[in-house]
Every structure is written in structure tokens, then in C-alpha cells.
Amino acid sequence: MTLRIDISGLPPERLRFAASPLAELTAMLHVLAEPEHHPQRAGWAAEVWAGLRPELAERLREAEFLWRSARADFLVPARPRQTLAEELDDVDEIDDETYVRAALVSSCGSNRGRYATPSPLTDAVAREQALERAQARGATQEAFAERLLDDPAAVRARVRHTLEQCAEAFFDAAWAGVAVQLANDLRLKNDLLKRQGIGPALASVSGAVSLAPDDGGIVVDKLQDAATTAHGAGVTFIPSVFGRPHLVAVYARGWQPVVQYPVAERTPSEPVALETVTLRLEALAHPVRLRLLRTLARGPHTTGELADAWDLTSPEVSRHLAVLRRAGLLTARRHGRYVHHTLNLPDLTALGSDLLAAVLR
């Protein structure tokens, strides 16, 4: 499933890479709301929560639907500014209907296709549907949605004040800490764009982003099949340190396409294609192959040894080992007349700690 951004005929200068304080703050807020998604930031999140004033902590919890499972589109700006205050000023320029629709996309679990439906600010049926979706997600979310629909100006002012308080509480220090890393990434991306063109620049963003074979579109590996266009204003790519590993895309009708991508680790590993991950998961889905892996986790074994250990025939073991090798989970090395099969532990580890624990215990 993919998102395609049409860039046919788009001038090169309309594809831009820029850092955004507001988008990075939103990524930090997502870490605070979903620390399980970011185990490498767990210590930071715990420290921030411990240091927050109770009033600000409560404000973050009441509005977390704007950045928890999805990001409200206005929090990922298409035209990044130098400061958070400037970007918040730009958000203030958005009309109430556009703001409310964007907020309800994230807070009510709706999809971006709902932008074509009647406005919940003026249509009673649309309002009722929005509140029903919010209610299904809990009382806090229902209350937030109801306040937003009843008095969007008051809620907008409260959200802005909350984000401004975050700057003093934790954002300013964290932003200063990632500024050099973001600047280095932007320097690399813009140099690639200038010297080698769009294709190499996109390839450096993520293994999930590529130039379409016809060169007329950007293809992003996302959950839904969708399409949008960059005609007119263009498309913006925003690097994020705190957003890792998420790839966020803004593509709703009426919004300029924006992709917030994770900056690579300082010692990045080669990205693994989705096809490879799928092949590995399929290989692990068979109970016999899991048994073989549990034995191989304890050291190299021959086909005959594995057959004896699990009361299988050698041809049957060979067929299962071939599947595991094609998935890149095993290596085979000949020692005289014997072939030893060895578990590829790093690639197995990359699939998840629970799987590794199951194999090793």
C-alpha cells in the first residue's frame, strides 16, 4: 500500500528540505504519549514527565489525540519557519473549519478522505458522527472533541498556549540538542538534490520513499493506498530526530504534501526492504522452522543433526532450511564432507525482542 505524490512537471526548487520546530515538538509530544514506540527515548520521556508542572501535564493529556496515533496536519507545516512562535502564528491563520477538520482526523480516528464530507461545525449529522467516533475512544477524547466543536477559538488558544509552555518546559533544550544533527542531514539532502537530482535525494530519505519509475511521482510506503499532488506549492520534506522510526505524511485535500522522515542513526544499518521482512515472517510462521531455529540458536548444526534432534527426515529438514536461507536467516558453510547451518542472529534480532526471546529460551 502506498501514497503517491504527483510531481509531474514540478520545478526542482518546489521540492524542498527544511527543519521545522513545530514538527519536531510534535514528534517529542508523540514520544511522551507513546514511549513504547520509542524505547531509546524512554529515559528522556520519563525525565520530562517527572519535571512537568501538573497543569501542563494535564493539558498534554487532554490534547494528546492531536499527536498520539496520528498528527493533526497543521502540526507538520508545509512552510517551516525559523522559530516555533512563527510557525504557531501560521497555524493561527488557518480558518476554524480547516483547523477543526484536521484536529478531528487525529482525535476522532477518522481518515483524511472525510475532508470531502460536510463540516461538523455547521452540519448536525457530521457533528454527531464526529462525537460518536470520539466517544468510542474514551471520555477525555469525547470531551475534547465536544469543546472543539462548541468553541473552536477557545480550544485553539488553549492548544497554542500548551505548546508555548512546552517550549520552556523541555522543547527549547531538546531542540538545541538536535539542531546540529538536523542541519547536517539537511546539508546532505540538499547537496544530493542539487548534484544528483530527485531520485538519489529521495532514496536518502528512507527505504520507504522512492521516485516512481515514470519519474512523475513520489511513492511513499504507507498504511493506506492514496494519492495527492504537489502541483502549485510543491512538496516539503522535514527531518526529525525524535520522530524515529515513524514516517509521517500530510496529504489531505487542501494541504500541501509534507513528509516528516526520521534522521538516520549516526551509525545507520542498511535499510531492509518490506519484501525481505515479509519473507522472513513467512519463513518463521511454520512451527518446524521455529524448532530448527531454536536448535541453531545454540550453535551450528548439520542437516543430519537437526533431523535426529527433531525426528525428521533429512530431505524434510533440507526443505525447511532452504526457506530460512532464502529469507536471510541462515548461512551455510562447508567443513569437509559436512555443511554446517548457522543462525543469522543480528537479522533475527532486528525482527523483535519477543521473537528472539522465544527462540533463545
Side-chain angles (χ1 to χ4, degrees):
M1 293 180 284
T2 59
L3 164 67
R4 180 185 170 100
I5 304 172
D6 184 5
I7 60 169
S8 56
L10 187 74
E13 64 272 13
R14 297 283 178 85
L15 191 151
R16 61 182 65 87
F17 289 87
S20 163
L22 179 56
E24 193 68 4
L25 170 56
T26 305
M28 294 177 193
L29 292 172
H30 173 75
V31 172
L32 293 176
E34 292 281 9
E36 296 83 2
H37 291 187
H38 308 268
Q40 76 279 12
R41 297 285 178 188
W44 175 86
E47 183 178 347
V48 170
W49 278 119
L52 289 181
R53 291 183 291 105
E55 179 192 359
L56 179 55
E58 181 59 31
R59 281 172 172 256
L60 292 181
R61 291 188 180 97
E62 77 176 24
E64 69 178 8
F65 317 107
L66 297 176
W67 50 73
R68 183 165 194 158
S69 59
R71 314 287 169 85
D73 291 335
F74 53 77
L75 294 176
V76 189
R79 293 189 175 278
R81 307 287 191 175
Q82 290 295 314
T83 68
L84 178 63
E86 289 175 306
E87 292 186 326
L88 292 176
D89 287 342
D90 288 343
V91 173
D92 288 344
E93 295 299 317
I94 300 171
D95 62 82
D96 282 347
E97 181 173 330
T98 303
Y99 185 102
V100 168
R101 285 181 181 275
L104 292 180
V105 163
S106 55
S107 68
C108 294
S110 57
N111 59 55
R112 286 170 167 79
R114 297 186 186 276
Y115 274 81
T117 63
S119 169
L121 287 176
T122 58
D123 185 89
V125 174
R127 174 190 170 90
E128 183 178 356
Q129 291 173 342
L131 291 176
E132 284 179 357
R133 290 193 298 272
Q135 184 181 42
R137 290 170 174 261
T140 303
Q141 190 157 350
E142 181 187 13
F144 177 84
E146 189 166 7
R147 289 196 304 272
L148 180 64
L149 291 171
D150 287 342
D151 192 350
V155 172
R156 293 179 64 164
R158 185 174 176 84
V159 169
R160 171 164 183 155
H161 188 220
T162 299
L163 297 178
E164 289 172 335
Q165 288 181 309
C166 289
E168 180 181 353
F170 61 87
F171 172 71
D172 287 346
W175 177 251
V178 301
V180 172
Q181 196 172 352
L182 293 174
N184 288 339
D185 182 83
L186 289 172
R187 191 178 300 112
L188 170 65
K189 300 296 188 295
N190 284 305
D191 186 64
L192 282 171
L193 183 62
K194 178 181 178 181
R195 297 177 182 276
Q196 299 184 37
I198 293 177
L202 294 177
S204 72
V205 167
S206 166
V209 180
S210 62
L211 186 63
D214 60 5
D215 293 346
I218 297 170
V219 179
V220 185
D221 182 8
K222 294 297 292 180
L223 185 59
Q224 296 92 7
D225 282 317
T228 188
T229 178
H231 294 169
V235 57
T236 301
F237 287 85
I238 299 175
S240 174
V241 173
F242 277 80
R244 188 185 304 120
H246 300 307
L247 188 72
V248 177
V250 171
Y251 55 89
R253 179 182 301 180
W255 295 86
Q256 179 182 332
V258 183
V259 176
Q260 184 185 35
Y261 64 92
V263 173
E265 300 277 6
R266 287 183 174 84
T267 55
S269 58
E270 190 69 22
V272 178
L274 178 60
E275 291 79 7
T276 301
V277 174
T278 302
L279 194 65
R280 288 173 180 172
L281 292 176
E282 290 174 348
L284 293 167
H286 199 290
V288 171
R289 291 196 279 273
L290 278 177
R291 293 173 191 167
L292 297 177
L293 283 181
R294 295 188 71 176
T295 302
L296 291 170
R298 284 143 183 83
H301 287 72
T302 66
T303 300
E305 289 173 331
L306 292 169
D308 290 341
W310 292 106
D311 196 23
L312 300 167
T313 67
S314 291
E316 186 176 6
V317 170
S318 294
R319 288 194 296 271
H320 286 298
L321 293 177
V323 173
L324 293 168
R325 281 198 304 274
R326 285 196 297 270
L329 295 173
L330 295 183
T331 57
R333 181 170 298 177
R334 179 171 291 279
H335 293 273
R337 56 181 292 199
Y338 297 104
V339 175
H340 288 129
H341 304 281
T342 303
L343 176 63
N344 186 344
L345 193 58
D347 285 347
L348 184 68
T349 302
L351 288 174
S353 57
D354 287 344
L355 172 63
L356 183 66
V359 169
L360 292 180
R361 67 170 175 258

